[in-house]
Amino acid sequence: MGSKSAAALVIGNEILTGKIEEGNIASLARGLFARGVEFRRIVVCRDEIEVISEELTSLRTAHDYVFTSGGVGPTHDDVTVAGVAHSFGRDVVRSDEIVDLIRAFHARRDKPVTDAHLRMADIVAGSRLLSSEDVPWPTLVVDNVYVLPGVPAIFRMKLDVVLKELEGEGFASCAVYTNCDEGIIAPVLSQLSAAHPTVAVGSYPRFEADDHKVKVTFDGKDPALVAAVADEFVKAIPAELYVRRS
């Protein structure tokens, strides 16, 4: 679609073993779509420095933005920062700014600060810290890589700050709901996709929906063109199989 591109690297053995359900990609996808950034790839990998480094290097050299999720806590298997540093060939250093935040946080709760707590102040040399008045706990940014936590509530909170850097005109989207058979409308969708390469056409059967069988979506940067392609589709299917559009 001629837009900035993005990828995500989800890090965690717990995702690959099914112990934890991944809960961040949908939020990221919606946020990027709303800002006109094309989300192209998702990779899930283990908590291993070399693996993280290899996957991240591949993603960051092929996309405008990369977002990592997971592996930034205080335990032995939180090795994302080390993996990111390895990918860039940089050292891991301790941030005085984050150390101060950690000490102040625990002081307010009259709790001791451990070495494990302070590990969360480790950052990649030469990176920057992105925060806001509402979200003072910073997000680590290394060139085009945004390092985010795996806990969904914290991920979403930090993502809101990150996305403000990417503010842009989002994609226009139109959905047409039908009772068509997907195999029957496939040639029509292929023709529309070929004729309008800047509009992404998607088809999604819904077996549990009461009022329709297939939802067809049209996404692009030009709202008028998106609407026109949707109109072409509606005209190409039997009127009795059309349900609604949104």
Side-chain angles (χ1 to χ4, degrees):
M1 293 186 214
S3 307
K4 292 284 188 180
S5 63
L9 180 60
V10 180
I11 300 160
N13 296 353
E14 69 277 12
I15 303 296
L16 292 168
T17 58
K19 294 175 183 175
I20 299 291
E21 290 188 13
E22 198 291 316
N24 296 323
I25 290 300
S27 298
L28 177 59
R30 285 190 292 266
L32 293 174
F33 188 85
R35 285 153 183 82
V37 178
E38 189 175 352
F39 197 4
R40 292 183 180 173
R41 192 174 182 198
I42 302 163
V43 174
V44 183
C45 74
R46 294 178 57 82
D47 297 302
E48 297 176 8
I49 294 173
E50 293 284 350
V51 174
I52 294 169
S53 174
E54 180 180 352
E55 297 291 358
L56 182 60
T57 299
S58 175
L59 293 175
R60 67 181 178 82
T61 55
H63 301 83
D64 294 299
Y65 309 113
V66 178
F67 302 85
T68 73
S69 168
V72 293
T75 58
H76 71 284
D77 56 348
D78 290 313
V79 295
T80 294
V81 171
V84 174
H86 191 279
S87 172
F88 283 93
R90 302 183 189 179
D91 293 330
V92 174
V93 298
R94 186 148 291 182
S95 164
D96 292 337
E97 177 183 337
I98 301 179
V99 167
D100 290 343
L101 285 170
I102 292 171
R103 292 194 184 280
F105 177 81
H106 288 280
R108 288 193 297 271
R109 289 154 180 78
D110 196 25
K111 300 289 185 181
V113 176
T114 68
D115 289 339
H117 291 137
L118 293 177
R119 279 193 68 219
M120 297 178 67
D122 288 348
I123 65 173
V124 179
S127 59
R128 63 187 175 96
L129 301 178
L130 177 62
S131 61
S132 71
E133 186 175 337
D134 294 331
V135 186
W137 289 94
T139 295
L140 179 65
V141 185
V142 191
D143 291 0
N144 63 333
V145 177
Y146 294 82
V147 181
L148 292 162
V151 178
I154 305 176
F155 180 96
R156 290 191 295 269
M157 180 177 64
K158 289 194 169 190
L159 180 64
D160 287 342
V161 179
V162 168
L163 290 176
K164 289 178 181 177
E165 287 204 332
L166 312 181
E167 287 290 2
E169 186 176 348
F171 292 111
S173 185
C174 180
V176 177
Y177 300 82
T178 81
N179 280 318
C180 297
D181 180 278
E182 200 173 29
I184 299 300
I185 63 173
V188 175
L189 299 181
S190 294
Q191 291 169 8
L192 290 174
S193 183
H196 305 284
T198 61
V199 176
V201 181
S203 177
Y204 309 98
R206 296 292 300 274
F207 300 104
E208 74 284 2
D210 294 329
D211 67 336
H212 70 280
K213 293 181 179 178
V214 176
K215 173 184 176 182
V216 180
T217 62
F218 304 88
D219 302 326
K221 285 285 192 176
D222 184 342
L225 180 59
V226 168
V229 177
D231 288 342
E232 286 186 49
F233 172 69
V234 171
K235 292 175 183 177
I237 65 174
E240 65 272 17
L241 296 182
Y242 170 80
V243 177
R244 68 181 189 281
R245 66 191 291 171
S246 63

